[in-house]
Short mmCIF file of all heavy atoms in Angstrom, two decimals:
data_model
loop_
_atom_site.label_atom_id
_atom_site.label_comp_id
_atom_site.label_asym_id
_atom_site.label_seq_id
_atom_site.Cartn_x
_atom_site.Cartn_y
_atom_site.Cartn_z
N ALA A 67 124.72 71.79 98.07
CA ALA A 67 125.09 72.91 97.19
C ALA A 67 125.16 74.23 97.96
O ALA A 67 126.05 75.05 97.75
CB ALA A 67 124.10 73.01 96.03
N GLN A 68 124.20 74.44 98.87
CA GLN A 68 124.22 75.67 99.66
C GLN A 68 125.47 75.74 100.55
O GLN A 68 126.08 76.80 100.70
CB GLN A 68 122.97 75.74 100.54
CG GLN A 68 121.67 75.96 99.77
CD GLN A 68 120.45 75.97 100.68
OE1 GLN A 68 120.57 75.85 101.90
NE2 GLN A 68 119.28 76.09 100.11
N HIS A 69 125.80 74.62 101.16
CA HIS A 69 126.97 74.61 102.04
C HIS A 69 128.28 74.75 101.25
O HIS A 69 129.25 75.30 101.74
CB HIS A 69 126.99 73.33 102.87
CG HIS A 69 126.01 73.36 104.02
ND1 HIS A 69 124.67 73.17 103.84
CD2 HIS A 69 126.19 73.57 105.34
CE1 HIS A 69 124.06 73.27 105.02
NE2 HIS A 69 124.96 73.51 105.94
N ARG A 70 128.31 74.20 100.02
CA ARG A 70 129.51 74.40 99.18
C ARG A 70 129.67 75.89 98.87
O ARG A 70 130.80 76.41 98.89
CB ARG A 70 129.39 73.60 97.89
CG ARG A 70 130.69 73.52 97.10
CD ARG A 70 130.43 73.08 95.68
NE ARG A 70 130.08 71.68 95.54
CZ ARG A 70 130.93 70.69 95.30
NH1 ARG A 70 132.22 70.97 95.21
NH2 ARG A 70 130.54 69.46 95.14
N ALA A 71 128.56 76.58 98.59
CA ALA A 71 128.61 78.02 98.34
C ALA A 71 129.09 78.76 99.59
O ALA A 71 129.85 79.74 99.50
CB ALA A 71 127.24 78.52 97.89
N TRP A 72 128.67 78.30 100.77
CA TRP A 72 129.13 78.93 102.01
C TRP A 72 130.64 78.76 102.17
O TRP A 72 131.34 79.67 102.65
CB TRP A 72 128.39 78.33 103.21
CG TRP A 72 128.96 78.70 104.53
CD1 TRP A 72 129.57 77.89 105.43
CD2 TRP A 72 129.00 80.02 105.12
NE1 TRP A 72 129.97 78.58 106.53
CE2 TRP A 72 129.63 79.90 106.37
CE3 TRP A 72 128.56 81.27 104.70
CZ2 TRP A 72 129.83 81.00 107.22
CZ3 TRP A 72 128.78 82.37 105.54
CH2 TRP A 72 129.40 82.22 106.77
N GLU A 73 131.19 77.60 101.73
CA GLU A 73 132.63 77.41 101.80
C GLU A 73 133.34 78.45 100.94
O GLU A 73 134.42 78.97 101.30
CB GLU A 73 133.00 76.00 101.33
CG GLU A 73 132.52 74.87 102.23
CD GLU A 73 133.26 74.82 103.56
OE1 GLU A 73 134.39 75.30 103.65
OE2 GLU A 73 132.67 74.31 104.54
N ARG A 74 132.78 78.78 99.79
CA ARG A 74 133.38 79.80 98.92
C ARG A 74 133.37 81.16 99.62
O ARG A 74 134.33 81.92 99.57
CB ARG A 74 132.62 79.88 97.58
CG ARG A 74 132.86 78.70 96.67
CD ARG A 74 132.42 79.02 95.23
NE ARG A 74 130.97 79.23 95.13
CZ ARG A 74 130.10 78.25 94.90
NH1 ARG A 74 130.52 77.01 94.76
NH2 ARG A 74 128.81 78.51 94.82
N THR A 75 132.25 81.46 100.28
CA THR A 75 132.15 82.74 101.01
C THR A 75 133.22 82.80 102.12
O THR A 75 133.89 83.82 102.30
CB THR A 75 130.75 82.90 101.61
OG1 THR A 75 129.77 82.84 100.56
CG2 THR A 75 130.61 84.22 102.36
N LEU A 76 133.32 81.71 102.88
CA LEU A 76 134.34 81.66 103.92
C LEU A 76 135.74 81.87 103.35
O LEU A 76 136.56 82.61 103.91
CB LEU A 76 134.30 80.29 104.60
CG LEU A 76 133.33 80.05 105.76
CD1 LEU A 76 133.40 78.60 106.21
CD2 LEU A 76 133.65 80.98 106.93
N HIS A 77 135.99 81.23 102.22
CA HIS A 77 137.32 81.33 101.59
C HIS A 77 137.61 82.76 101.14
O HIS A 77 138.73 83.26 101.28
CB HIS A 77 137.38 80.35 100.42
CG HIS A 77 138.74 80.28 99.77
ND1 HIS A 77 139.88 79.98 100.48
CD2 HIS A 77 139.13 80.48 98.49
CE1 HIS A 77 140.91 79.98 99.65
NE2 HIS A 77 140.49 80.30 98.45
N GLU A 78 136.60 83.41 100.60
CA GLU A 78 136.79 84.82 100.15
C GLU A 78 137.16 85.71 101.33
O GLU A 78 137.87 86.69 101.16
CB GLU A 78 135.52 85.30 99.47
CG GLU A 78 135.27 84.66 98.10
CD GLU A 78 133.84 84.86 97.58
OE1 GLU A 78 133.05 85.57 98.26
OE2 GLU A 78 133.54 84.30 96.52
#
Side-chain angles (χ1 to χ4, degrees):
Q68 291 178 3
H69 283 76
R70 191 196 288 267
W72 169 247
E73 294 290 336
R74 288 196 295 271
T75 301
L76 274 176
H77 185 56
E78 288 165 3

